[in-house]
Structures are given as C-alpha cells and as structure tokens.
Amino acid sequence: MSTDDPLTLADLRPIVDAGWLRRSLDRVVVADVRWYLDGRSGREAYLAGHIPGAIWVDVDTVLSAPADPRAGRHPLPDPADFARSLGGLGIPDTVTVVAYDDSGGAYAARLVWLLRRLGRPAALLDGGLAAWQGDLDTGQVTLPPVRRASVEWPADRLRTADDVERAVADGTAVVLDARAPERYSGDSVLPTDVRSGHIPGAKNAPWPANLTPDGTFATPDRLRERYGTLGIDPGAEVIVYCGSGVTACHDLLALELAGIDNTALYPGSWSAWSADPARSIAVGPLPAGAM
C-alpha cells in the first residue's frame, strides 16, 4: 500500500465503483464489513472469500460500543477506542478506506460515514462484493498496526433523542426512518425491540430504495427526486435513524451523494427510543404517495 499522494476527503465521492477500486488498490485499505442480522458470522464469510488484500472490520466491536438499553444496540464507539481499533487493524489516519459488504452497503456504510464525518477519506464500493467480479482470496489478511489520533465525534452531525423530539415538535428538521416499511409501521418486530412502530413525525425512507435493481446506487438526480418526495430539499436539515444506527448511514451517504449535506445521525435509533418508556411511539404505514 502506497501512502504517496494520499487522497483527501474532498477528492472522494462517498461511492466508488469496482473499476476505480481496481486502479487504486495500491493506495487504499479495503475493508470487508459483512454482518448479518440473522446471526451468521461476517468473519466466517470473510475468511471464505474476500477482495484481495481486504481486512475484516467487525460492526459489533470496532464500529460500536457495547450495547446499552439507554444508548441502543450499536452505540458509537468511544473516539479513543475507535482510533485504537482502526490502528490495530493497520489503517493509518491519512490512507483512503474503501468498504464493502454483500448486503447492498447496509453495514459497510457505517464505517464509511464515521470516517467521512471525521474528515478522513473513505468510500463505499458500489454494488459491494458482487461488483468485484474477480478472484477472491481466502483467510485472514493482517496489516502492520499503526498509531491513529483520537478525534471526537462531530457534535453537529449527531442528535440525541431529545434533539429528535424537539425537531419534530418544532418542524425544524425532517426525521427519516431508514428501516423496512413493516418495521416502521410496527407490523414486524425484532425480538430485541421493546416496542414496535416508529418515532412520531418520522417519515419512512427504507435504505434499499437508494439502490437500483442491480444493487448499485441510484444517480444523484434520482436520489434528489426520492428525497424530494419526503419534503427534503438541498437546504433542509435531516436527521436519520434506523434500528440501531447502522443502516441509517446508508441513507446519510445517499443524501450526501444527492448534494444534501445538512444531515445528522440519531445513533441510539429505535433500539434506544423504544426502550425508553417516556418516549411516545407511532404505528402504521407512511401515507400513500409519501415514499
């Protein structure tokens, strides 16, 4: 991996294609961020076959702090722990990271969004592992550990439950729920959720709708159209949540791709909101025509 002439965040769109990655393999770290809601092992999938040179990044231990009822299933990691974990994986501060999974980018988006919000160059591989269409390596890739600086999470990119509640009440921001419609409506319940439904006033923006039928991201124009139907224009403030603050990052990257950058994550998301009996909930689908 070459560290000469490193890319900067300004050089890099949030999504890159496989052709770009092939041309850039010697100047990036490739991160496999496979994770499965059904309990399958992302690490075992990685070991069985991954993009050559890719390291594996664990959603649960690297991209999250331990679960907590007040903070949700995937709280943001402590900044010092995050820096230590990435350094232990061999990811220097200045080197570009390209992340992928095999789930449409749903989980790799978390790593990309976190790094970009810290001002570090990172991008999601459009189409994920399937887009690589080349030989895969097996086994573990280990890079020499490095020291990374600890950087605080930017407060302007994060919102608390109280912030979300005020934004809905005051109409100062559009709140998006990135979960599937059946989870937003409350018809489908995860065993880990205390209650089902959604945050009152939130609009449903399921993350898979950012993708085309072939699993790649829609064009910026199409994404602007999509979010425009939800009342979002380039100057709007947008707060996004999901089940635990992971797949919401997919919507956040899509919004950035669409040129909508006044955005923030509610990290606790539904897992924290629903566990707090003081928080109101709503049930039922988004009104027809509001998708």
Side-chain angles (χ1 to χ4, degrees):
M1 177 182 58
S2 170
T3 57
D4 296 335
D5 190 25
L7 293 168
T8 67
L9 182 60
D11 297 324
L12 196 65
R13 283 162 38 110
I15 313 297
V16 297
D17 62 30
W20 184 95
L21 178 57
R22 288 181 188 281
R23 296 189 299 272
S24 306
L25 277 177
D26 65 341
R27 61 195 303 216
V28 305
V29 169
V30 182
D32 186 311
V33 197
R34 277 180 278 183
W35 188 90
Y36 303 104
L37 190 60
D38 61 12
R40 285 177 292 152
S41 169
R43 184 173 185 273
E44 290 302 317
Y46 161 81
L47 292 173
H50 54 78
I51 291 176
I55 59 171
W56 185 64
V57 178
D58 186 12
V59 169
D60 292 319
T61 60
V62 175
L63 305 185
S64 309
D68 181 285
R70 294 165 299 178
R73 289 194 303 275
H74 290 109
L76 291 187
D78 175 82
D81 290 342
F82 186 60
R84 193 160 38 245
S85 293
L86 293 188
L89 290 171
I91 305 177
D93 280 301
T94 57
V95 169
T96 298
V97 174
V98 177
Y100 71 90
D101 55 36
D102 59 2
S103 304
Y107 307 109
R110 168 88 160 202
L111 174 58
V112 173
W113 187 82
L114 291 178
L115 288 173
R116 290 180 73 86
R117 295 293 67 83
L118 293 179
R120 304 298 188 242
L124 191 65
L125 176 60
D126 203 9
L129 182 60
W132 179 249
Q133 295 185 343
D135 292 339
L136 301 178
D137 284 353
T138 58
Q140 181 78 38
V141 173
T142 302
L143 301 178
V146 297
R147 185 178 296 276
R148 285 183 67 102
S150 175
V151 182
E152 293 297 316
W153 301 118
D156 64 328
R157 294 293 188 166
L158 301 173
R159 297 292 184 271
T160 66
D162 286 342
D163 293 334
V164 174
E165 201 163 54
R166 282 193 295 268
V168 170
D170 300 342
T172 55
V174 179
V175 178
L176 298 182
D177 183 320
R179 296 176 299 159
E182 61 271 18
R183 288 185 59 203
Y184 170 89
S185 69
D187 292 335
S188 176
V189 186
L190 284 182
T192 49
D193 286 340
V194 176
R195 296 181 288 171
S196 60
H198 58 269
I199 295 174
K203 299 181 179 182
N204 193 205
W207 67 264
N210 296 319
L211 304 175
T212 63
D214 69 359
T216 59
F217 271 73
T219 64
D221 284 346
R222 177 65 189 90
L223 291 170
R224 278 189 289 273
E225 180 183 346
R226 181 202 178 196
Y227 288 106
T229 66
L230 293 165
I232 299 169
D233 58 43
E237 179 184 348
V238 187
I239 302 170
V240 189
Y241 75 94
C242 57
S244 64
V246 175
T247 60
C249 296
H250 199 282
D251 273 5
L252 288 163
L253 292 182
L255 286 160
E256 183 182 352
L257 193 61
I260 301 165
D261 198 43
N262 187 12
T263 59
L265 172 69
Y266 166 36
S269 288
W270 185 249
S271 58
W273 186 280
S274 64
D276 183 350
R279 303 290 175 189
S280 300
I281 66 170
V283 296
L286 190 67
M291 293 292 286

